[in-house]
Amino acid sequence: MSSSTLSPPGHAVPPVPGTGPDGPLPRRSQSRPPVSRRRRKSSNWLLFALLAGPNIALLLVFTYKPLLQSFYYSTLQWNIGSAIARPVGLRNYTDWLTAPGTPQVVAVTVVFTLATVGGGMVIGLALALLLNSRLKLRGAARTIVVAPYVLSGVAVGLLWLFVFDPNFGVTSALLQAVGLPSPDWYNDPGYALAMVIIVYLWKNAGYVALIYLAGLQAIPRDLLEAASLDGAGRLRTLAGITLPLLGPTTFFLSVTTLLSSLQSFDIIQAMTKGGPLEGTTTMMYQIYQQGFVAGTAGYSSAIATILFLVLLAVTLLQLKFVERKVHYS
């Protein structure tokens, strides 16, 4: 005999969890079954392969494979076009290190790199500060400053050959106007190197100015206004606020401009072809001379390997020591 429980008037019996008027309710799944971790991982790898695969393939074919081949060729005594290549170990490296002309090539490379990197940073920063101020026709001025960077290096070099002509060039006319003789830009090694450095700076300073200009526009205006209210002048604001906040930009430019300067070739080829008396022959240009003019591919590959190791060492030193002093906001 079943008994039933009566509830007081006005009160209903609370339902038992999981039951309804007609009996127990069917169970429902509380959550969807989790996706397999292995399946999710495979889908992530597939997406990575689709997005990064073409870039990785291009790097392997056009960057790392030639680099490894250059290492291999540097251990051979091989001339371009010859069917015979004789292994010589590290002889090409020792021949370059003990060659009589190597100290001059290294000195020219160091002078050219320091002058173009240091001068480019200073000139680019000055141009960026000027272009960031309130100027009339500021947009046109920015275009004019950046335009040389997008021009061909060979075309720029040929154009400036007429500018530096000792007899009919613009520099000769300007110097004669103030009573000074024109230097022999073409036949004096020192003047020839200075000529190449000037042209390189003229062409690439716009790139530095453009990057610095972007960094200047990213500086918060309230900091500059606060410094102005505190009575700080332009030089104090530049030294205390602008330059520290431009630290990441300066570090980026120091790395990119250094690598670009050490690999400069087109302007030297168009203007001096490494002369006179190898006064403008850098390591990069010597690689071209030994490989494609003299045809000594093994010796040229050894110089290229040394230059690569120099670039790698300088970049690692910058990343290790210089970046520590950079503060990212």
Side-chain angles (χ1 to χ4, degrees), residues 11 19 226 247:
H11 294 276
T19 62

Side-chain angles (χ1 to χ4, degrees), residues 40-289:
R40 185 185 306 168
K41 188 175 181 180
S42 62
S43 62
N44 291 338
W45 275 107
L46 179 60
L47 181 61
F48 172 79
L50 291 176
L51 296 178
N55 292 330
I56 294 177
L58 291 175
L59 286 174
L60 291 175
V61 174
F62 295 103
T63 301
Y64 296 109
K65 180 182 177 181
L67 182 63
L68 295 176
Q69 286 181 332
S70 179
F71 290 159
Y72 171 69
Y73 293 152
S74 66
T75 63
L76 302 177
Q77 183 180 358
W78 175 55
N79 295 333
I80 294 180
S82 175
I84 301 175
R86 184 166 60 91
V88 292
L90 300 178
R91 180 178 174 182
N92 289 322
Y93 295 92
T94 58
D95 288 347
W96 184 81
L97 293 173
T98 58
T102 296
Q104 180 180 354
V105 173
V106 174
V108 170
T109 304
V110 172
V111 172
F112 178 82
T113 302
L114 293 179
T116 53
V117 174
M121 299 281 283
V122 173
I123 296 174
L125 178 59
L127 289 173
L129 292 171
L130 180 63
L131 296 175
N132 195 45
S133 60
R134 297 178 180 178
L135 293 175
K136 293 182 178 180
L137 302 176
R138 185 170 57 180
R142 291 175 178 177
T143 304
I144 293 172
V145 169
V146 179
Y149 177 70
V150 300
L151 298 177
S152 168
V154 175
V156 169
L158 294 176
L159 173 65
W160 277 85
L161 281 177
F162 294 98
V163 175
F164 283 104
D165 188 280
N167 298 319
F168 309 103
V170 176
T171 56
S172 176
L174 293 176
L175 292 174
Q176 289 178 2
V178 296
L180 296 176
S182 177
D184 194 358
W185 300 101
Y186 297 162
N187 298 318
D188 187 280
Y191 282 118
L193 182 59
M195 176 179 65
V196 173
I197 291 173
I198 292 172
V199 176
Y200 186 91
L201 289 174
W202 179 84
K203 183 181 185 300
N204 294 278
Y207 164 76
V208 180
L210 180 65
I211 303 301
Y212 264 134
L213 181 60
L216 288 172
Q217 293 178 347
I219 296 177
R221 302 298 301 175
D222 53 352
L223 294 178
L224 301 177
E225 293 174 358
S228 179
L229 293 175
D230 290 340
R234 292 185 177 181
L235 292 179
R236 187 176 178 183
T237 303
L238 176 65
I241 296 178
T242 304
L243 291 182
L245 291 178
L246 287 177
T249 305
T250 302
F251 174 72
F252 168 77
L253 286 173
S254 66
V255 175
T256 56
T257 55
L258 180 64
L259 297 179
S260 176
S261 178
L262 285 172
Q263 301 178 78
S264 178
F265 169 79
D266 48 0
I267 292 178
I268 298 175
Q269 171 65 14
M271 299 189 70
T272 62
K273 292 182 173 57
L277 303 176
E278 296 186 350
T280 58
T281 299
T282 60
M283 291 182 65
M284 186 67 197
Y285 194 79
Q286 190 183 30
I287 294 172
Y288 163 77
Q289 284 183 323

